[in-house]
Amino acid sequence: MDCRGARRRHTLPRMILAVLLTAGASGQTQPAKPAQKQATPWWQHAIVYEIYPRSFQDTKGDGVGDIPGIIQRLGYLQQLGVNAIWLTPIYPSPLKDFGYDISNYEAIDPMYGTMADFDHLLAAARAHHIRVMMDMVLNHTSDQSAWFKESRSSRNNPKRAWYIWRDGKGPGIPPNNWESAFGGSAWTYDPTTKQWYYHAFLAAQPDLNWRNPEVQKAMFDACRFWLNKGVAGFRLDAVPNLFEDPKLRDEQVLPGKNAYGDPNLNPDRTEDLPEVHDVMRSLRKLVDSYQGDRVLIGETYLPNIKDQLAWYGGARHDELQLPMDMQVGMINKLDASLFREKIGQAETQLDGLMPLFVFDNHDNPRSWNRYGDGVHDQAIARIIATILLTTRSADLMYYGEEIGMTTTPPASLSQVRDPAAIRGWPAYKGRDGERTPMQWSSGRDAGFSTAATTWLPIPTSYKQVNVAVESAQPDSLLNWYKHLISMRSQIPALARGANIMVDRSDPNVLSYLRQVPGQTSAVLVAMNFTDQPHTVSYDLRDKGIKAATAHALLKDQGVSETVNLHHLTLPPFAVFIGEIQ
Ligand code: GLC
């Protein structure tokens, strides 16, 4: 076994030097090779980087990102060290929900480029050792798709039963009390055929009827189309919504109102119905029939670890390889006990399967704002990155997270682009704030575009918060991410060691070991979650560890290079990652 990675001891500046020396100026360097060839599939330890294509890189000068822009930035992504990119939808779409309303599942929207551009992206990404994943919206189509146009044309059209049509309860009264995730009733009346259709999201996003086998066939054909092209798999949008109660019974009204002013409902008749697992199993069989370890990631916001295990297929492990674990990333406060509990559950209650941790995505305010206290935001962002990348997990990153982009909501309703915010304003400011253009440089349009105006404004922070500036700053957040990613691929304990919680009752410092079973060496990760210094003392003898000291692999300023495990002092919000031999 090659343990060189594990033996390296770096303080931050030395690590940066190492990264700069290996990365060079040309961007041609290969990503760090894992210390040992993994027998496990690539996605088990993957970092999947979510790209919101509209906001990544514009090459046409129209203020909207495009596929050639992604190709242009592959060198950056390779140097960062990500293994795959997930593109939010780039299919033809009327853009009522910015691509999550698809009108043709087997084409590229001209706004982003051509199919030839996409093929070029696949080849170029492969050359950079980066896999490409598509977003697959199974639950609904656009109301402008040919399928829905046919379906709505008459009650006896062959595609009528591809969607969910019902009579109302009376004039102007929908079939039941179900609500759209974007506010208001989930039913829209269609005067042509005098029936209502169901939409879990916008009226422009009618739900497909997954009880109809023709629907499953059509959607699986769409998946095959992209798998045949060579995509590495799919992020499955809104899968808990696939089935609804066939009797259309009302949902129970709960106390209080949601952000849109609608009554809160218990969603148990429109979400997580058991039938969805049959579809997931069939889809898994489909992707497994392809070579090259194709993967299914699920957009699954789940209340507990037991429900999460169900999405893997329970004991059979025959559904999604990586349902998103939002329980860790969405704790939304720096509470050491809660992080210990949730990371511990993922380690011990998922049947040994790999959790997929996510802090940031295109639907939630950025972690910078959800966790920052306004004073120690940089240090807190380093803590978030450390949790993401040093726990035993596959990980999703979201563009701009690595440079500390902040949520920048629209200043007024007239600037809002997100349909959810148009309805929810001002109580709900929507998702535009986390979708602003990537900040590449201090130049015009932050290096994102050359347009006079970009589709969403460039946040004013771009002069300091950008890739070019942070690449040159040894202690930047970007370099912190790069070190973590590089360490994770080089140090066996971080790549595949167990995640063992230590100091279980400390309310201020979160500490864990990463240890390859049976070894007496380990990596210790310790993070002070508070604005006061704290000293911790570890007794690790029951983990087979006799050493009294740990040597820094990566650490914040103010923490010693070699620390005494019986007396480790961490300044406010400081991180120490060290090797125990
Ligand atoms: C998912 C997407 C979100 C979209 C919704 C409807 O939650 O992540 O952006 O609005 O599904 O497709």
Side-chain angles (χ1 to χ4, degrees):
M1 188 174 61
D2 179 359
C3 286
R4 272 171 303 161
R7 276 198 219 102
R8 261 187 229 151
R9 275 168 211 150
H10 301 290
T11 54
L12 183 51
R14 263 191 281 154
M15 283 208 60
I16 287 160
L17 189 62
V19 168
L20 293 179
L21 286 175
T22 51
S26 66
Q28 295 304 309
T29 319
Q30 298 293 309
K33 293 274 181 299
Q36 189 187 20
K37 185 159 170 27
Q38 304 280 336
T40 47
W42 69 275
W43 47 261
Q44 287 244 353
H45 304 282
I47 298 170
V48 179
Y49 185 97
E50 177 187 357
I51 291 180
Y52 200 73
R54 300 180 68 73
S55 290
F56 200 57
Q57 179 67 59
D58 169 23
T59 59
K60 299 185 303 303
D62 60 358
V64 176
D66 45 51
I67 295 172
I70 299 172
I71 296 172
Q72 196 176 304
R73 296 299 184 176
L74 286 169
Y76 166 76
L77 295 170
Q78 181 175 8
Q79 283 190 24
L80 184 59
V82 305
N83 309 102
I85 50 177
W86 143 36
L87 310 180
T88 60
I90 49 175
Y91 317 95
S93 162
L95 299 180
K96 290 292 181 335
D97 188 17
F98 292 104
Y100 285 95
D101 47 324
I102 300 171
S103 51
N104 179 353
Y105 281 77
E106 298 181 11
I108 298 288
D109 195 302
M111 173 176 293
Y112 300 121
T114 62
M115 192 59 87
D117 290 329
F118 181 78
D119 292 337
H120 182 192
L121 169 65
L122 277 178
R126 198 173 303 122
H128 285 82
H129 308 292
I130 293 173
R131 292 173 160 87
V132 178
M133 300 188 63
M134 297 294 268
D135 208 315
M136 186 48 71
V137 185
L138 300 173
N139 180 66
H140 49 267
T141 68
S142 160
D143 63 350
Q144 298 307 307
S145 84
W147 301 342
F148 188 70
K149 283 183 181 166
E150 279 192 50
S151 184
R152 84 187 319 175
S153 65
S154 84
R155 287 198 187 198
N156 48 27
N157 183 278
K159 292 223 166 39
R160 186 67 169 179
W162 281 39
Y163 294 84
I164 300 167
W165 292 97
R166 287 292 188 286
D167 292 331
K169 280 187 172 161
I173 307 175
N176 63 25
N177 72 343
W178 297 351
E179 290 169 357
S180 154
F182 294 144
S185 172
W187 295 93
T188 290
Y189 185 68
D190 191 71
T192 315
T193 55
K194 301 190 172 45
Q195 278 193 314
W196 301 72
Y197 66 89
Y198 173 68
H199 47 90
F201 297 92
L202 295 175
Q205 295 168 299
D207 266 50
L208 286 161
N209 174 16
W210 274 86
R211 298 185 188 279
N212 182 341
E214 291 174 20
V215 165
Q216 171 160 328
K217 182 176 177 316
M219 294 307 296
F220 279 25
D221 282 349
C223 293
R224 277 190 200 97
F225 177 85
W226 297 101
L227 290 167
N228 289 340
K229 278 195 166 289
V231 305
F234 303 104
R235 175 266 191 186
L236 302 174
D237 183 70
V239 272
N241 295 84
L242 244 50
F243 286 87
E244 302 78 29
D245 174 26
K247 294 189 187 142
L248 303 192
R249 287 169 295 183
D250 273 357
E251 283 181 336
Q252 183 197 356
V253 179
L254 302 173
K257 300 235 154 123
N258 63 22
Y260 304 100
D262 301 324
N264 286 325
L265 299 180
N266 177 348
D268 62 351
R269 295 200 166 134
T270 51
E271 283 180 27
D272 278 327
L273 270 72
E275 294 90 322
V276 72
H277 294 287
D278 298 330
V279 175
M280 294 301 104
R281 258 191 303 281
S282 305
L283 193 52
R284 175 65 180 275
K285 278 198 192 109
L286 173 67
V287 296
D288 280 353
S289 71
Y290 283 81
Q291 293 197 320
D293 290 330
R294 316 292 174 105
V295 64
L296 296 174
I297 290 178
E299 191 204 15
T300 41
Y301 287 84
L302 297 164
N304 58 56
I305 201 81
K306 189 168 147 278
D307 289 8
Q308 198 171 317
L309 184 57
W311 283 89
Y312 289 89
R316 292 185 309 271
H317 304 180
D318 58 356
E319 297 185 32
L320 307 181
Q321 290 102 326
L322 295 174
M324 289 184 194
D325 179 318
M326 304 290 205
Q327 291 185 67
V328 170
M330 301 290 160
I331 288 175
N332 291 345
K333 55 180 172 181
L334 273 189
D335 179 322
S337 307
L338 272 178
F339 273 95
R340 189 176 296 124
E341 176 191 327
K342 297 292 180 190
I343 296 168
Q345 285 179 352
E347 177 72 5
T348 58
Q349 296 179 36
L350 280 183
D351 222 5
L353 294 159
M354 192 59 79
L356 176 66
F357 289 157
V358 190
F359 279 85
D360 286 273
N361 66 20
H362 65 285
D363 289 328
N364 294 284
R366 286 180 178 273
S367 58
W368 181 280
N369 304 86
R370 284 183 289 115
Y371 289 93
D373 64 358
V375 180
H376 307 90
D377 293 348
Q378 277 281 348
I380 293 171
R382 284 199 292 274
I383 288 180
I384 297 301
T386 305
I387 297 172
L388 184 73
L389 295 163
T390 65
T391 45
R392 193 187 73 92
S393 57
D395 300 314
L396 272 180
M397 283 177 60
Y398 182 51
Y399 81 94
E401 169 183 343
E402 72 275 23
I403 53 172
M405 277 177 60
T406 57
T407 319
T408 312
S412 65
L413 180 56
S414 63
Q415 290 180 9
V416 171
R417 309 294 301 271
D418 177 12
I422 291 171
R423 183 151 189 138
W425 192 270
Y428 176 51
K429 295 207 162 36
R431 301 165 295 178
D432 293 341
E434 56 267 21
R435 298 174 177 179
T436 56
M438 178 67 175
Q439 297 167 199
W440 295 105
S441 73
S442 314
R444 180 177 180 160
D445 290 342
F448 160 71
S449 172
T450 52
T453 45
T454 52
W455 85 280
L456 283 175
I458 312 273
T460 50
S461 65
Y462 81 95
K463 289 268 181 203
Q464 296 79 38
V465 179
N466 67 59
V467 170
V469 163
E470 293 192 32
S471 296
Q473 283 170 349
D475 59 353
S476 67
L477 185 61
L478 176 59
N479 277 318
W480 185 267
Y481 267 88
K482 282 187 181 170
H483 299 325
L484 288 171
I485 293 172
S486 148
M487 280 163 50
R488 174 188 154 105
S489 69
Q490 291 181 35
I491 300 176
L494 286 176
R496 58 196 167 86
N499 204 136
I500 304 162
M501 291 295 157
V502 289
D503 209 351
R504 294 187 156 269
S505 55
D506 193 317
N508 304 308
V509 177
L510 178 68
S511 311
Y512 47 83
L513 285 181
R514 298 294 313 281
Q515 189 178 31
V516 176
Q519 299 217 345
T520 51
S521 61
V523 171
L524 171 72
V525 181
M527 291 165 278
N528 181 353
F529 274 28
T530 77
D531 61 1
Q532 299 298 316
H534 284 287
T535 299
V536 280
S537 173
Y538 304 109
D539 181 352
L540 303 174
R541 280 171 303 181
D542 63 340
K543 316 284 182 295
I545 289 175
K546 296 197 184 73
T549 55
H551 305 284
L553 292 160
L554 183 64
K555 65 179 187 67
D556 271 311
Q557 283 175 2
V559 192
S560 315
E561 174 105 0
T562 298
V563 301
N564 179 344
L565 291 173
H566 298 295
H567 193 90
L568 165 55
T569 299
L570 292 167
F573 297 110
V575 174
F576 174 83
I577 305 171
E579 187 188 11
I580 308 174
Q581 286 283 10

